[in-house]
Amino acid sequence: MTKPMLAFIAPVALAIALSAVPAAAPVLAAGGGGGGGGGGGGGDTGDIMTGKPPAQPAGSSQSSTTTTKSTHKSKKDKQSFLDDPAFKQGYRTAYATIYERSEYASAIVQLRALGHDDYANVANLIGYSYRKLGDYKLSQTWYERALKSDPNHVLTWQYYGLWQIEQGNRDQAQYHLTRIAQICGTSCEEYRSLAAALEQPPGTGLVY
């Protein structure tokens, strides 16, 4: 092969090889997960389950390869059911049963039927429903289960803090408030809600 032909073929081959590289980039980007609140469709799972962005632990910006891999693996493990339309619809139905109709016993049945009792959002809502039904022992069991699944589940710390106030455990509720501050700061809704409840005189009936 002559030198002029080689001079022509080499750049063409390089261009073809480079054109194949960008195709892999979106796959890596998609693995990053939501990160933003609000918006429909492809947002973070926190939007699907609670209608708001998930709280980030204080000082959670970590750059080590190990942390990135474990976080990615955790997301992949959850995606199997969080991306399931039947699970999403079932969760939304139970959510509406609790917050729109206050039918807590029915909501417990709906949440248990989802088959993911150890998922923190599900366990927390079961605990909340039992608390609203006045079964504080079972409520506590489910709150503990939610926190075992996700120690930084800020909504559980809030709801469990309200449980502590209703039980007269104001010191414990204050601890829950501190944990919320560590997770999402003092301006997040969960902190403000529990702080407002703690400011009420002892014995005041809570509406949360």
Side-chain angles (χ1 to χ4, degrees), residues 47-73:
D47 300 325
I48 296 168
M49 299 304 157
T50 66
K52 57 190 173 184
Q56 295 297 322
S60 63
S61 57
Q62 298 169 326
S63 58
S64 71
T65 305
T66 305
T67 302
T68 303
K69 285 184 177 179
S70 63
T71 302
H72 183 66
K73 184 177 186 298

Side-chain angles (χ1 to χ4, degrees), residues 105-183:
S106 297
I108 291 169
V109 173
Q110 293 166 353
L111 289 163
R112 296 296 304 273
L114 295 175
H116 293 282
D117 294 352
D118 288 327
Y119 182 51
N121 288 20
V122 171
N124 178 53
L125 286 188
I126 294 174
Y128 175 81
S129 297
Y130 274 121
R131 175 181 146 242
K132 299 299 283 187
L133 289 170
D135 192 332
Y136 287 91
K137 189 171 183 60
L138 271 177
S139 177
Q140 181 180 28
T141 298
W142 284 98
Y143 285 146
E144 294 286 352
R145 193 167 186 170
L147 290 176
K148 182 178 180 181
S149 172
D150 181 2
N152 289 321
H153 197 259
V154 67
L155 197 60
T156 301
W157 284 109
Q158 179 202 349
Y159 283 7
Y160 198 2
L162 296 170
W163 182 99
Q164 299 287 2
I165 292 174
E166 290 183 342
Q167 292 294 289
N169 306 328
R170 298 182 73 83
D171 288 344
Q172 276 297 108
Q174 187 64 50
Y175 169 74
H176 285 234
L177 189 65
T178 301
R179 286 291 291 117
I180 293 172
Q182 292 170 348
I183 296 167

